[in-house]
Tab-separated table of all heavy atoms in Angstrom:
chain	number	residue	atom	x	y	z
A	623	GLY	N	-19.419	19.817	11.388
A	623	GLY	CA	-19.008	18.411	11.303
A	623	GLY	C	-18.561	17.990	9.919
A	623	GLY	O	-18.184	16.817	9.725
A	624	ARG	N	-18.576	18.924	8.967
A	624	ARG	CA	-18.250	18.565	7.581
A	624	ARG	C	-17.117	19.405	7.010
A	624	ARG	O	-16.847	19.361	5.809
A	624	ARG	CB	-19.490	18.719	6.697
A	624	ARG	CG	-20.675	17.849	7.129
A	624	ARG	CD	-21.871	18.028	6.213
A	624	ARG	NE	-21.612	17.511	4.875
A	624	ARG	CZ	-21.495	18.262	3.779
A	624	ARG	NH1	-21.618	19.582	3.858
A	624	ARG	NH2	-21.247	17.708	2.603
A	625	GLY	N	-16.448	20.164	7.856
A	625	GLY	CA	-15.396	21.048	7.373
A	625	GLY	C	-14.146	20.299	6.934
A	625	GLY	O	-13.953	19.118	7.224
A	626	ASP	N	-13.254	21.019	6.247
A	626	ASP	CA	-12.027	20.413	5.730
A	626	ASP	C	-11.136	19.887	6.851
A	626	ASP	O	-10.487	18.847	6.704
A	626	ASP	CB	-11.253	21.440	4.895
A	626	ASP	CG	-11.960	21.785	3.595
A	626	ASP	OD1	-12.839	20.998	3.177
A	626	ASP	OD2	-11.641	22.830	3.000
A	627	ALA	N	-11.107	20.608	7.968
A	627	ALA	CA	-10.254	20.173	9.079
A	627	ALA	C	-10.730	18.826	9.616
A	627	ALA	O	-9.922	17.930	9.899
A	627	ALA	CB	-10.247	21.223	10.183
A	628	VAL	N	-12.044	18.683	9.773
A	628	VAL	CA	-12.597	17.414	10.257
A	628	VAL	C	-12.303	16.294	9.261
A	628	VAL	O	-11.876	15.188	9.640
A	628	VAL	CB	-14.110	17.542	10.492
A	628	VAL	CG1	-14.725	16.170	10.779
A	628	VAL	CG2	-14.383	18.506	11.630
A	629	ARG	N	-12.522	16.556	7.991
A	629	ARG	CA	-12.280	15.522	6.974
A	629	ARG	C	-10.809	15.105	6.956
A	629	ARG	O	-10.480	13.921	6.816
A	629	ARG	CB	-12.707	16.026	5.600
A	629	ARG	CG	-14.217	16.250	5.482
A	629	ARG	CD	-14.592	16.673	4.063
A	629	ARG	NE	-15.983	17.065	3.976
A	629	ARG	CZ	-17.002	16.217	3.868
A	629	ARG	NH1	-16.772	14.914	3.863
A	629	ARG	NH2	-18.246	16.652	3.786
A	630	GLY	N	-9.930	16.085	7.097
A	630	GLY	CA	-8.516	15.764	7.101
A	630	GLY	C	-8.129	14.875	8.264
A	630	GLY	O	-7.370	13.907	8.111
A	631	VAL	N	-8.674	15.172	9.444
A	631	VAL	CA	-8.382	14.368	10.628
A	631	VAL	C	-8.929	12.959	10.463
A	631	VAL	O	-8.254	11.965	10.800
A	631	VAL	CB	-8.975	15.050	11.880
A	631	VAL	CG1	-8.985	14.093	13.070
A	631	VAL	CG2	-8.188	16.312	12.218
A	632	LEU	N	-10.130	12.831	9.930
A	632	LEU	CA	-10.738	11.512	9.786
A	632	LEU	C	-10.177	10.730	8.603
A	632	LEU	O	-10.250	9.499	8.583
A	632	LEU	CB	-12.252	11.643	9.676
A	632	LEU	CG	-12.933	12.139	10.959
A	632	LEU	CD1	-14.437	12.274	10.753
A	632	LEU	CD2	-12.646	11.193	12.124
A	633	ASP	N	-9.617	11.422	7.626
A	633	ASP	CA	-8.907	10.713	6.559
A	633	ASP	C	-7.628	10.094	7.101
A	633	ASP	O	-7.239	8.983	6.733
A	633	ASP	CB	-8.579	11.668	5.404
A	633	ASP	CG	-9.783	11.927	4.507
A	633	ASP	OD1	-10.749	11.141	4.583
A	633	ASP	OD2	-9.746	12.901	3.732
A	634	ALA	N	-6.957	10.839	7.994
A	634	ALA	CA	-5.702	10.343	8.561
A	634	ALA	C	-5.925	9.152	9.475
A	634	ALA	O	-5.139	8.200	9.480
A	634	ALA	CB	-4.994	11.470	9.318
A	635	LEU	N	-6.985	9.168	10.244
A	635	LEU	CA	-7.300	8.052	11.142
A	635	LEU	C	-8.816	7.923	11.198
A	635	LEU	O	-9.477	8.497	12.060
A	635	LEU	CB	-6.722	8.300	12.547
A	635	LEU	CG	-6.928	7.171	13.563
A	635	LEU	CD1	-6.271	5.883	13.080
A	635	LEU	CD2	-6.360	7.572	14.929
A	636	PRO	N	-9.387	7.156	10.274
A	636	PRO	CA	-10.846	7.078	10.204
A	636	PRO	C	-11.443	6.208	11.307
A	636	PRO	O	-10.759	5.405	11.940
A	636	PRO	CB	-11.090	6.447	8.827
A	636	PRO	CG	-9.867	5.647	8.568
A	636	PRO	CD	-8.727	6.403	9.202
A	637	VAL	N	-12.728	6.391	11.498
A	637	VAL	CA	-13.496	5.483	12.354
A	637	VAL	C	-13.932	4.320	11.472
A	637	VAL	O	-14.598	4.516	10.458
A	637	VAL	CB	-14.721	6.184	12.954
A	637	VAL	CG1	-15.543	5.202	13.779
A	637	VAL	CG2	-14.298	7.377	13.793
A	638	ARG	N	-13.552	3.105	11.863
A	638	ARG	CA	-13.813	1.932	11.025
A	638	ARG	C	-14.624	0.906	11.808
A	638	ARG	O	-14.222	0.455	12.874
A	638	ARG	CB	-12.499	1.311	10.549
A	638	ARG	CG	-11.564	2.306	9.854
A	638	ARG	CD	-10.444	1.582	9.111
A	638	ARG	NE	-9.729	0.626	9.934
A	638	ARG	CZ	-8.975	-0.366	9.469
A	638	ARG	NH1	-8.869	-0.530	8.155
A	638	ARG	NH2	-8.337	-1.184	10.287
A	639	ASP	N	-15.767	0.535	11.283
A	639	ASP	CA	-16.602	-0.498	11.874
A	639	ASP	C	-16.611	-1.736	10.975
A	639	ASP	O	-16.434	-1.637	9.749
A	639	ASP	CB	-18.040	-0.004	12.047
A	639	ASP	CG	-18.173	1.013	13.184
A	639	ASP	OD1	-17.244	1.074	14.015
A	639	ASP	OD2	-19.185	1.732	13.215
A	640	LEU	N	-16.847	-2.885	11.594
A	640	LEU	CA	-17.004	-4.142	10.861
A	640	LEU	C	-15.818	-4.412	9.933
A	640	LEU	O	-15.976	-4.837	8.779
A	640	LEU	CB	-18.303	-4.139	10.046
A	640	LEU	CG	-19.594	-3.833	10.819
A	640	LEU	CD1	-20.780	-3.816	9.867
A	640	LEU	CD2	-19.808	-4.851	11.929
A	641	VAL	N	-14.620	-4.166	10.411
A	641	VAL	CA	-13.428	-4.335	9.576
A	641	VAL	C	-13.332	-5.786	9.113
A	641	VAL	O	-13.338	-6.714	9.925
A	641	VAL	CB	-12.161	-3.931	10.342
A	641	VAL	CG1	-10.924	-4.195	9.493
A	641	VAL	CG2	-12.239	-2.467	10.744
A	642	SER	N	-13.249	-5.960	7.805
A	642	SER	CA	-13.267	-7.298	7.206
A	642	SER	C	-12.056	-7.444	6.286
A	642	SER	O	-12.088	-7.000	5.136
A	642	SER	CB	-14.555	-7.508	6.408
A	642	SER	OG	-15.691	-7.274	7.227
A	643	PRO	N	-10.994	-8.059	6.773
A	643	PRO	CA	-9.793	-8.181	5.940
A	643	PRO	C	-9.908	-9.307	4.921
A	643	PRO	O	-10.529	-10.345	5.171
A	643	PRO	CB	-8.693	-8.489	6.956
A	643	PRO	CG	-9.410	-9.196	8.063
A	643	PRO	CD	-10.778	-8.586	8.139
A	644	SER	N	-9.324	-9.085	3.768
A	644	SER	CA	-9.143	-10.186	2.827
A	644	SER	C	-8.064	-11.108	3.384
A	644	SER	O	-7.445	-10.811	4.414
A	644	SER	CB	-8.693	-9.646	1.465
A	644	SER	OG	-7.354	-9.145	1.555
A	645	GLN	N	-7.829	-12.212	2.719
A	645	GLN	CA	-6.668	-13.000	3.104
A	645	GLN	C	-5.412	-12.209	2.763
A	645	GLN	O	-5.448	-11.264	1.967
A	645	GLN	CB	-6.662	-14.347	2.376
A	645	GLN	CG	-6.343	-14.271	0.878
A	645	GLN	CD	-6.380	-15.630	0.217
A	645	GLN	OE1	-7.440	-16.108	-0.184
A	645	GLN	NE2	-5.228	-16.264	0.091
A	646	THR	N	-4.313	-12.553	3.380
A	646	THR	CA	-3.050	-11.890	3.078
A	646	THR	C	-2.373	-12.638	1.938
A	646	THR	O	-2.081	-13.828	2.045
A	646	THR	CB	-2.136	-11.862	4.312
A	646	THR	OG1	-2.781	-11.111	5.347
A	646	THR	CG2	-0.805	-11.215	3.993
A	647	PHE	N	-2.156	-11.943	0.845
A	647	PHE	CA	-1.574	-12.542	-0.348
A	647	PHE	C	-0.063	-12.309	-0.368
A	647	PHE	O	0.420	-11.263	0.060
A	647	PHE	CB	-2.209	-11.947	-1.604
A	647	PHE	CG	-3.678	-12.238	-1.724
A	647	PHE	CD1	-4.617	-11.283	-1.346
A	647	PHE	CD2	-4.125	-13.456	-2.200
A	647	PHE	CE1	-5.976	-11.542	-1.447
A	647	PHE	CE2	-5.484	-13.724	-2.307
A	647	PHE	CZ	-6.408	-12.765	-1.928
A	648	PRO	N	0.707	-13.275	-0.874
A	648	PRO	CA	2.163	-13.135	-0.838
A	648	PRO	C	2.683	-12.091	-1.826
A	648	PRO	O	2.172	-11.957	-2.937
A	648	PRO	CB	2.658	-14.538	-1.205
A	648	PRO	CG	1.542	-15.136	-2.009
A	648	PRO	CD	0.273	-14.569	-1.435
A	649	LEU	N	3.708	-11.370	-1.398
A	649	LEU	CA	4.371	-10.358	-2.215
A	649	LEU	C	5.870	-10.478	-1.976
A	649	LEU	O	6.339	-10.233	-0.861
A	649	LEU	CB	3.885	-8.951	-1.840
A	649	LEU	CG	4.615	-7.784	-2.514
A	649	LEU	CD1	4.283	-7.742	-4.004
A	649	LEU	CD2	4.243	-6.459	-1.852
A	650	ARG	N	6.592	-10.871	-2.986
A	650	ARG	CA	8.052	-11.012	-2.849
A	650	ARG	C	8.727	-9.731	-3.329
A	650	ARG	O	8.538	-9.312	-4.468
A	650	ARG	CB	8.563	-12.214	-3.634
A	650	ARG	CG	10.082	-12.360	-3.606
A	650	ARG	CD	10.488	-13.788	-3.902
A	650	ARG	NE	10.075	-14.678	-2.840
A	650	ARG	CZ	9.572	-15.902	-3.044
A	650	ARG	NH1	9.409	-16.353	-4.267
A	650	ARG	NH2	9.215	-16.652	-2.019
A	651	VAL	N	9.515	-9.125	-2.447
A	651	VAL	CA	10.226	-7.887	-2.773
A	651	VAL	C	11.698	-8.236	-2.975
A	651	VAL	O	12.403	-8.596	-2.035
A	651	VAL	CB	10.052	-6.833	-1.664
A	651	VAL	CG1	10.771	-5.549	-2.044
A	651	VAL	CG2	8.561	-6.560	-1.425
A	652	GLU	N	12.138	-8.159	-4.223
A	652	GLU	CA	13.516	-8.492	-4.590
A	652	GLU	C	14.370	-7.230	-4.626
A	652	GLU	O	13.865	-6.113	-4.572
A	652	GLU	CB	13.528	-9.138	-5.982
A	652	GLU	CG	12.536	-10.265	-6.164
A	652	GLU	CD	13.167	-11.630	-6.062
A	652	GLU	OE1	14.303	-11.727	-5.551
A	652	GLU	OE2	12.524	-12.588	-6.505
A	653	ARG	N	15.676	-7.425	-4.780
A	653	ARG	CA	16.538	-6.254	-4.918
A	653	ARG	C	16.262	-5.561	-6.248
A	653	ARG	O	15.726	-6.153	-7.197
A	653	ARG	CB	18.008	-6.631	-4.783
A	653	ARG	CG	18.564	-7.563	-5.833
A	653	ARG	CD	19.916	-8.078	-5.391
A	653	ARG	NE	20.542	-8.941	-6.382
A	653	ARG	CZ	21.571	-8.579	-7.141
A	653	ARG	NH1	22.072	-7.346	-7.057
A	653	ARG	NH2	22.102	-9.425	-7.991
A	654	LYS	N	16.641	-4.302	-6.340
A	654	LYS	CA	16.239	-3.457	-7.458
A	654	LYS	C	16.673	-4.008	-8.808
A	654	LYS	O	15.973	-3.866	-9.818
A	654	LYS	CB	16.786	-2.040	-7.270
A	654	LYS	CG	16.261	-1.035	-8.290
A	654	LYS	CD	16.711	0.377	-7.960
A	654	LYS	CE	16.134	1.384	-8.949
A	654	LYS	NZ	16.545	2.762	-8.628
A	655	LEU	N	17.842	-4.657	-8.852
A	655	LEU	CA	18.358	-5.159	-10.121
A	655	LEU	C	17.432	-6.207	-10.737
A	655	LEU	O	17.516	-6.475	-11.931
A	655	LEU	CB	19.758	-5.741	-9.916
A	655	LEU	CG	20.629	-5.892	-11.170
A	655	LEU	CD1	21.030	-4.522	-11.709
A	655	LEU	CD2	21.860	-6.731	-10.887
A	656	ALA	N	16.558	-6.797	-9.941
A	656	ALA	CA	15.622	-7.780	-10.476
A	656	ALA	C	14.654	-7.147	-11.467
A	656	ALA	O	14.112	-7.829	-12.345
A	656	ALA	CB	14.838	-8.437	-9.339
A	657	THR	N	14.426	-5.861	-11.336
A	657	THR	CA	13.530	-5.143	-12.239
A	657	THR	C	14.270	-4.176	-13.151
A	657	THR	O	13.990	-4.089	-14.342
A	657	THR	CB	12.475	-4.357	-11.435
A	657	THR	OG1	11.590	-5.271	-10.794
A	657	THR	CG2	11.664	-3.432	-12.330
A	658	PHE	N	15.227	-3.469	-12.597
A	658	PHE	CA	15.901	-2.394	-13.327
A	658	PHE	C	17.340	-2.800	-13.597
A	658	PHE	O	18.171	-2.814	-12.691
A	658	PHE	CB	15.846	-1.096	-12.514
A	658	PHE	CG	16.517	0.081	-13.173
A	658	PHE	CD1	16.055	0.567	-14.378
A	658	PHE	CD2	17.609	0.690	-12.575
A	658	PHE	CE1	16.671	1.653	-14.987
A	658	PHE	CE2	18.224	1.770	-13.173
A	658	PHE	CZ	17.754	2.255	-14.385
A	659	SER	N	17.634	-3.149	-14.846
A	659	SER	CA	18.964	-3.637	-15.179
A	659	SER	C	19.275	-3.394	-16.644
A	659	SER	O	18.378	-3.324	-17.487
A	659	SER	CB	19.075	-5.137	-14.861
A	659	SER	OG	18.110	-5.878	-15.600
A	660	SER	N	20.571	-3.274	-16.939
A	660	SER	CA	21.055	-3.080	-18.311
A	660	SER	C	22.146	-4.114	-18.569
A	660	SER	O	23.201	-4.077	-17.934
A	660	SER	CB	21.616	-1.666	-18.491
A	660	SER	OG	20.655	-0.685	-18.192
A	661	TRP	N	21.884	-5.028	-19.484
A	661	TRP	CA	22.764	-6.171	-19.728
A	661	TRP	C	23.628	-5.951	-20.960
A	661	TRP	O	23.167	-5.413	-21.976
A	661	TRP	CB	21.942	-7.432	-19.943
A	661	TRP	CG	21.148	-7.902	-18.761
A	661	TRP	CD1	20.216	-7.190	-18.049
A	661	TRP	CD2	21.190	-9.201	-18.172
A	661	TRP	NE1	19.686	-7.967	-17.047
A	661	TRP	CE2	20.257	-9.201	-17.101
A	661	TRP	CE3	21.900	-10.365	-18.441
A	661	TRP	CZ2	20.035	-10.332	-16.316
A	661	TRP	CZ3	21.676	-11.488	-17.658
A	661	TRP	CH2	20.758	-11.463	-16.603
A	662	TYR	N	24.872	-6.413	-20.864
A	662	TYR	CA	25.786	-6.394	-22.020
A	662	TYR	C	26.328	-7.806	-22.188
A	662	TYR	O	27.030	-8.322	-21.321
A	662	TYR	CB	26.928	-5.405	-21.800
A	662	TYR	CG	27.809	-5.196	-23.005
A	662	TYR	CD1	27.586	-4.126	-23.873
A	662	TYR	CD2	28.866	-6.060	-23.291
A	662	TYR	CE1	28.393	-3.928	-24.986
A	662	TYR	CE2	29.672	-5.871	-24.398
A	662	TYR	CZ	29.437	-4.809	-25.243
A	662	TYR	OH	30.242	-4.607	-26.357
């Protein structure tokens, strides 16, 4: 019950009890130029 194969399977899809989510916080995803740009 403790082998690498078992751990790998349970890492991919674990058994989760008492799942307690935080609130969902806003995340704005802009186009790449908003972060990576070279101005002249």
Side-chain angles (χ1 to χ4, degrees):
R624 301 181 67 248
D626 291 342
V628 171
R629 294 183 188 279
V631 166
L632 293 179
D633 281 343
L635 183 60
V637 177
R638 306 194 308 161
D639 287 343
L640 306 178
V641 176
S642 305
S644 70
Q645 71 181 85
T646 298
F647 296 99
L649 173 69
R650 176 158 293 140
V651 181
E652 310 259 16
R653 63 193 182 106
K654 188 174 182 179
L655 199 69
T657 292
F658 180 62
S659 59
S660 302
W661 295 56
Y662 187 96

